[in-house]
């Protein structure tokens, strides 16, 4: 992952805006306004042939007339001018460019032009980037962004705008906010390599729709996640949604496994994403997985416990010393257990006395403090006293503490106080436990990241046989192995698959099916048709010779009609597998 030119993009000393404008709602006008209002310290150079100045800044009629070579150029003109402008910028020596708009048909030419001049390209179709520590708002976003330690990288402009709006309301800051667009050049792996070394970034959030180069992504992700927590939201859990976002259909469990193996943490939806941003912003390293819960109501505590068990978390046990200390400060009829129900008549003093005992205890690694609205222990006053008690206790420096202040009207101020104190706080019991399990899963993934992959003991490994099969296929220029071709490779490692037979006609298929026994599956063999589903080339659970004969003839007929030039190498016949409890792989 080359870092060439990324300094010019992400830490520019000068910026040219090609197509700068005074007209409202024009891209060149919005970009100029954002750059000038963001506090960028370097020169901003508007380029337009129609005006002497733009928004009070001296303008230049063309790229060739610029008084200096800008580190970064932002192209805001009609897409038909992109290539010509790239050539002009390349001749000038510009090192980085953001292209706001370009048709898909132009992508290859844009990439080739940038490679010719060694220009790094963000986009095309990028919302832009924000770097608050540098006062840089090179984006369409009118929303001001605060300085922070969280970096955000997105492949979706819509999600980027949503996160920006949410961050403004929650006063969450960022070190970098980067919208990749179509990623003709700069991709996620480039950004991960850069941000892993950035001193202003302590955590990274990714929104992914697809991965262009899996090997480069895994390498960059594994390297970056050793230094900083990385959280991933990956859309497209089903093949239909994958098609919606323009991704080649694939197995989502493969993404799950890759993300986990790289030491990253995946969250499932937008709600979890917002919750996880707050978790990352305030997260301390988790020393263990045992959770203690205290609440002023049994029902909210039960909801938290249900969510903890659903996510396979661990509830802490209370030692005899802790139980005795709690019994001394709580009423006689209290049941001392975890979760600890302080009851709905809990006073602020009861909260603080219980909290101090739990802070003294070493029975747990994390503490969830819950509160439901009530008149006896008002939300804001209780929160303020708890914040003060935590600040005064020495163990709070390493113990993971987070809160759930339920409700809206009476709890908003309390949650604001927790946020200002750097204590993560959540609106619901389930949201709080989900955040804790994000930390647990991240800790588990980090431990797995440190492990060295190895073959299981007793697993056969005939590498010579596997290499022979692969080399043989490569000599024939076969880069995709058919089912029967991959069978000896899997067998070389002791993995069994169903016996596979090749039929060259419908009659052959019937004969083989009669030998195998029913039910059977038929699959098309054609090097010219990558996705058999395009011609309904897979037929399952065929239960007699008539079904086999009709299905075989129908597959061949569909290929002849829809892909008349496609090569047909026959049909694969297999027994149907018992799929109960099994996982399908491709």
């Amino acid at each position: 992952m080359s870092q060439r030119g990324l300094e010019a993009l992400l830490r520019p000393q000068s910026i040219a805006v090609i197509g700068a404008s005074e007209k409202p709602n024009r891209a060149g006008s919005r970009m100029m306004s954002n750059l000038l209002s963001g506090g960028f310290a370097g020169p901003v150079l508007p380029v337009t042939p129609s005006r002497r100045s733009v928004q009070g800044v001296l303008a230049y009629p063309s790229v060739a007339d610029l008084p200096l070579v800008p580190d970064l150029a932002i192209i805001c003109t009609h897409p038909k001018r992109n290539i010509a402008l790239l050539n002009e910028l390349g001749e000038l020596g510009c090192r980085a460019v953001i292209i706001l708009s370009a048709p898909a048909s132009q992508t290859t030419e844009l990439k080739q032009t940038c490679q010719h001049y060694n220009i790094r390209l963000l986009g095309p179709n990028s919302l832009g980037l924000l770097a608050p520590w540098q006062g840089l708002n090179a984006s369409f976003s009118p929303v001001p962004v605060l300085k922070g330690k969280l970096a955000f990288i997105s492949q979706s402009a819509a999600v980027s705008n949503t996160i920006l709006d949410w961050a403004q309301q929650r006063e969450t800051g960022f070190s970098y906010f980067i919208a990749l667009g179509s990623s003709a050049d700069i991709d996620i792996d480039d950004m991960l390599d850069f941000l892993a070394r950035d001193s202003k970034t302590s955590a990274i959030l990714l929104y992914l729709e697809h991965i262009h180069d899996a090997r480069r992504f895994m390498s960059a992700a594994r390297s970056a996640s050793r230094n900083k927590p990385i959280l991933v939201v990956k859309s497209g859990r089903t093949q239909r949604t994958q098609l919606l976002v323009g991704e080649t259909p694939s197995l989502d469990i493969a993404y799950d496994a890759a993300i986990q193996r790289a030491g990253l943490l995946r969250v499932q939806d937008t709600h979890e994403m917002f919750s996880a941003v707050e978790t990352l912003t305030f997260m301390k390293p988790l020393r263990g997985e045992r959770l203690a819960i205290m609440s002023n109501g049994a029902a909210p505590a039960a909801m938290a416990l249900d969510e903890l068990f659903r996510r396979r978390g661990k509830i802490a046990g209370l030692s005899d010393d802790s139980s005795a200390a709690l019994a001394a400060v709580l009423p006689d009829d209290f049941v001392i257990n975890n979760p600890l129900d302080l009851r709905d008549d809990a006073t602020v003093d009861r909260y603080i006395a219980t909290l101090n005992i739990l802070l003294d205890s070493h029975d747990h690694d994390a503490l969830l403090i819950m509160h439901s609205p009530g008149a006896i222990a008002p939300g804001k006053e209780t929160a303020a006293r708890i914040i003060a008690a935590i600040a005064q206790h020495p163990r709070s420096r390493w113990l993971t503490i987070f809160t759930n202040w339920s409700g809206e009207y009476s709890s908003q101020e309390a949650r604001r106080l927790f946020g200002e104190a750097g204590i993560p706080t959540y609106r619901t019991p389930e949201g709080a436990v989900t955040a804790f399990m994000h930390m647990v899963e991240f800790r588990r993934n980090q431990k797995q990241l440190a492990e060295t992959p190895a073959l299981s003991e007793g697993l056969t490994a005939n590498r010579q046989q596997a290499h022979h099969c692969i080399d043989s296929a490569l000599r024939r220029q076969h880069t995709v192995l058919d089912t029967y071709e991959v069978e000896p490779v899997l067998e070389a490692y002791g993995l069994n698959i169903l016996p596979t037979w090749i039929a060259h006609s419908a009659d052959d298929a019937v004969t083989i099916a009669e030998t195998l026994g029913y039910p059977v599956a038929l699959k098309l063999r054609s090097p010219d048709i990558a996705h058999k589903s395009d011609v309904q080339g897979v037929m399952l659970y065929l239960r007699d010779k008539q079904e086999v004969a009709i299905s075989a003839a129908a597959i061949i007929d569909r290929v002849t009609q829809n892909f008349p030039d496609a090569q047909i190498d026959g049909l694969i016949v297999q027994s149907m597998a018992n799929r109960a409890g099994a996982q399908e792989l491709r």
Side-chain angles (χ1 to χ4, degrees):
M1 285 62 72
S2 172
Q3 297 295 286
R4 171 188 54 80
L6 291 187
E7 284 283 335
L9 173 72
L10 299 171
R11 294 175 184 149
Q13 301 301 307
S14 55
I15 302 174
V17 181
I18 318 298
S21 175
E22 291 272 8
K23 296 180 181 179
N25 300 322
R26 287 284 183 89
S29 174
R30 175 63 59 83
M31 189 62 67
M32 283 294 298
S33 298
N34 287 348
L35 285 170
L36 295 175
S37 63
F40 180 65
V44 176
L45 310 168
V47 176
T48 176
S50 60
R51 299 187 63 88
R52 295 283 302 276
S53 67
V54 176
Q55 300 185 26
V57 180
L58 180 66
Y60 303 91
S62 69
V63 169
D65 293 312
L66 288 170
L68 54 84
V69 179
D71 286 339
L72 171 64
I74 306 170
I75 298 179
C76 307
T77 60
H78 192 279
K80 67 183 181 182
R81 297 191 60 204
N82 286 341
I83 302 299
L85 288 169
L86 272 181
N87 280 301
E88 293 178 37
L89 290 164
E91 294 291 343
L92 191 65
C94 182
R95 293 182 294 158
V97 172
I98 299 174
I99 295 182
L100 302 181
S101 178
S105 59
Q106 202 180 64
T107 302
T108 301
E109 191 174 2
L110 288 174
K111 185 173 182 178
Q112 291 173 347
T113 305
C114 287
Q115 289 174 343
H116 177 73
Y117 291 107
N118 287 325
I119 294 174
R120 298 312 304 267
L121 169 62
L122 180 64
N125 305 313
S126 168
L127 181 73
L129 70 92
L130 298 97
W133 290 96
Q134 302 164 58
L136 176 61
N137 183 354
S139 78
F140 276 150
S141 173
V143 178
V145 177
L146 301 175
K147 297 175 181 177
K149 291 287 190 178
L150 178 67
F152 179 72
I153 309 170
S154 176
Q155 290 180 328
S156 165
V159 171
S160 298
N161 283 323
T162 302
I163 290 286
L164 283 171
D165 189 74
W166 174 87
Q168 184 186 34
Q169 195 271 331
R170 297 299 298 267
E171 298 184 347
T172 297
F174 294 92
S175 57
Y176 281 97
F177 197 100
I178 303 164
L180 293 173
S182 302
S183 299
D185 172 30
I186 293 172
D187 209 342
I188 296 165
D189 47 271
D190 300 292
M191 293 294 98
L192 286 176
D193 280 344
F194 181 91
L195 294 171
R197 297 178 290 106
D198 180 55
S199 61
K200 299 295 187 183
T201 300
S202 60
I204 302 170
L205 175 64
L206 304 179
Y207 176 81
L208 302 181
E209 290 178 347
H210 46 264
I211 294 173
H212 296 107
D213 190 321
R215 188 180 297 275
R216 287 176 57 183
F217 171 78
M218 288 296 292
S219 175
R222 285 174 64 86
S223 176
S225 64
R226 285 184 170 91
N227 301 318
K228 299 172 183 181
I230 303 176
L231 187 146
V232 180
V233 183
K234 168 68 175 67
S235 64
R237 286 195 163 272
T238 65
Q239 291 194 358
R240 189 159 184 172
T241 55
Q242 288 166 3
L243 291 170
L244 178 65
V245 298
E247 182 184 353
T248 301
S250 57
L251 289 174
D252 190 67
I253 57 167
Y255 281 103
D256 270 340
I259 288 168
Q260 179 180 344
R261 188 66 204 174
L264 282 56
L265 171 64
R266 183 176 185 179
V267 295
Q268 306 305 322
D269 52 44
T270 308
H271 176 75
E272 274 196 43
M273 177 171 64
F274 291 147
S275 172
V277 169
E278 177 140 352
T279 305
L280 280 181
T281 304
F282 299 116
M283 187 168 72
K284 297 177 183 177
L286 195 63
R287 297 195 175 190
E289 300 182 7
R290 302 170 302 166
L291 178 64
I293 301 172
M294 56 181 285
S295 170
N296 64 342
M303 288 188 281
L305 190 61
D306 280 343
E307 185 67 11
L308 183 71
F309 289 157
R310 188 181 75 83
R311 290 179 173 269
R312 300 180 182 178
K314 298 177 181 178
I315 193 73
L318 295 178
S319 66
D320 292 341
D321 290 343
S322 297
S323 298
L326 288 167
V329 300
L330 295 173
D332 294 339
D333 60 340
F334 262 55
V335 176
I336 307 301
N337 206 342
N338 184 24
L340 188 61
D341 177 19
L342 302 182
R343 297 183 181 173
D344 56 9
D345 63 350
T347 62
V348 180
D349 288 339
R350 186 183 295 173
Y351 258 102
I352 300 303
T354 304
L355 173 62
N356 283 327
I357 291 170
L358 292 178
L359 288 175
D360 288 336
S361 170
H362 289 269
D363 299 335
H364 51 275
D365 308 297
L367 173 61
L368 170 58
I369 306 169
M370 303 177 65
H371 180 276
S372 297
I376 298 177
K380 183 179 178 180
E381 179 186 344
T382 307
R385 291 277 301 277
I386 285 174
I387 291 168
I390 290 172
Q392 293 168 9
H393 201 284
R395 192 167 177 243
S396 65
R397 284 193 290 270
W398 64 267
L399 180 67
T400 298
I401 302 172
F402 56 112
T403 69
N404 157 228
W405 249 239
S406 296
E408 284 298 325
Y409 177 76
S410 62
S411 302
Q412 287 184 0
E413 278 298 298
R415 288 196 293 265
R416 183 185 62 80
L417 292 177
F418 283 122
E420 291 175 351
I423 300 172
T425 185
Y426 304 91
R427 283 175 165 77
T428 65
E430 296 85 355
V433 171
T434 296
F436 171 68
M437 289 309 297
H438 288 160
M439 301 183 201
V440 170
E441 289 161 17
F442 176 74
R443 180 174 181 268
R444 291 172 183 173
N445 292 353
Q446 285 289 296
K447 290 177 68 176
Q448 189 180 61
L449 179 64
E451 298 172 354
T452 302
L455 294 175
S456 301
E457 289 185 13
L459 182 67
T460 61
N462 188 342
R463 292 183 179 85
Q464 186 176 1
Q465 176 180 329
H467 281 292
H468 173 75
C469 296
I470 293 169
D471 291 341
S472 176
L474 290 174
R475 282 195 299 271
R476 300 193 308 274
Q477 297 185 338
H478 289 181
T479 55
V480 177
L481 296 182
D482 208 339
T483 305
Y484 82 97
E485 292 176 306
V486 82
E487 183 174 2
V489 179
L490 297 176
E491 287 179 345
Y493 291 91
L495 303 172
N496 298 319
I497 67 171
L498 291 171
T500 301
W501 298 82
I502 298 173
H504 296 287
S505 65
D507 289 339
D508 283 351
V510 170
T511 302
I512 294 169
E514 291 283 306
T515 303
L516 290 176
Y518 297 99
V520 298
L522 285 183
K523 302 176 185 178
L524 170 68
R525 289 186 65 227
S526 173
D528 300 321
I529 301 177
H531 301 291
K532 298 180 181 67
S533 58
D534 291 344
V535 291
Q536 200 176 345
V538 177
M539 304 294 288
L540 305 177
Y541 292 102
L542 305 177
R543 301 186 179 278
D544 56 46
K545 62 181 181 181
Q546 184 177 4
E547 288 187 6
V548 172
I550 293 172
S551 298
I555 291 173
I556 295 172
D557 186 54
R558 283 193 293 270
V559 175
T560 303
Q561 288 184 14
N562 295 291
F563 297 91
D565 298 328
Q567 176 182 331
I568 301 176
D569 292 336
L571 300 166
I572 291 173
V573 187
Q574 289 179 315
S575 298
M576 289 300 302
N578 179 8
R579 296 178 61 182
Q583 176 62 61
E584 180 183 358
L585 299 177
R586 182 172 66 209

